[in-house]
Amino acid sequence: MKTVFVRQERCVGCRHCEVACAIEHSKGKGLLSTIQEETKSYPRIFVEVIDNYLKFPNRCRHCDPAPCMQVCPTGSLYRDEQTGSVLIDYLKCIGCAVCAMACPFGIIQFQKIQKYEMNREVNAKCDNCIGRLEEGRIPACAEACKTSALEFGEANDLIRIARTDFTSRMITSRGAETEVPVIPENIRAFQKVMEKLASLS
């Protein structure tokens, strides 16, 4: 399944993703027109900042199974079979906020939707830029991210790349070439202890 993978260590808190998201979900699809629209378009991704140091772009994970879908009393949340994205039928949403209580990541917020002239706020969580995906484009947040903190692709491929990058950084930090595996002294000591324990049994 293709998804947006968060590389938290690369996020600098610039909030380009938030701006791109708000523009993508506006009527005019442009920065100036978005600012001037009567019903404001708000981002569906949120850059959380902790202690002015740690930054994390928090967005819908499109879980499978999705707790928000499981608890929705009107069935307004559903999964798109092609992309695996959890989407909302805004006309069915009654704004009861049960989905927000069930969401383990705290990303569901309620707002008026540009597409429909409704006088009520509904669940306006990330829709994975479904329109862009259908056109063969990537989600607006990933496209706007200048540091590649948000990457779009196959989940397992992105995880494999992130794991390889982490391993390479760890090896390099020990002063070795990335091709030569260096076992840190504390790990060697632990392995010796485990070998000794194994020989006693």
Side-chain angles (χ1 to χ4, degrees), residues 44-45 59-60 62 86-88 107 124-129:
R44 298 168 183 213
I45 182 170
R59 67 186 299 276
C60 179
H62 300 273
V86 176
L87 305 176
I88 306 132
I107 54 85
K125 73 168 198 64
C126 164
D127 59 3
N128 237 358
C129 289

Side-chain angles (χ1 to χ4, degrees), residues 115-130:
K115 191 175 178 182
Y116 303 101
E117 295 299 327
M118 294 188 289
N119 290 324
R120 60 192 175 88
E121 294 184 338
V122 295
N123 177 342
K125 73 168 198 64
C126 164
D127 59 3
N128 237 358
C129 289
I130 189 71

Side-chain angles (χ1 to χ4, degrees), residues 190-201:
F190 177 75
Q191 287 174 339
K192 285 179 182 175
V193 169
M194 295 309 290
E195 285 171 14
K196 193 166 188 178
L197 288 174
S199 67
L200 294 175
S201 58

Side-chain angles (χ1 to χ4, degrees), residues 89-104:
D89 183 337
Y90 299 117
L91 299 177
K92 284 185 180 177
C93 179
I94 58 174
C96 65
V98 175
C99 54
M101 290 183 262
C103 177

Side-chain angles (χ1 to χ4, degrees), residues 42-83:
Y42 296 99
R44 298 168 183 213
I45 182 170
F46 311 98
V47 177
E48 312 285 355
V49 181
I50 303 166
D51 295 331
N52 295 319
Y53 172 70
L54 182 64
K55 288 119 181 137
F56 185 82
N58 196 11
R59 67 186 299 276
C60 179
R61 310 313 197 272
H62 300 273
C63 309
D64 189 7
C68 58
M69 275 178 63
Q70 292 173 327
V71 300
C72 180
T74 64
S76 64
L77 287 151
Y78 65 96
R79 189 176 303 281
D80 178 68
E81 290 182 13
Q82 295 278 38
T83 64

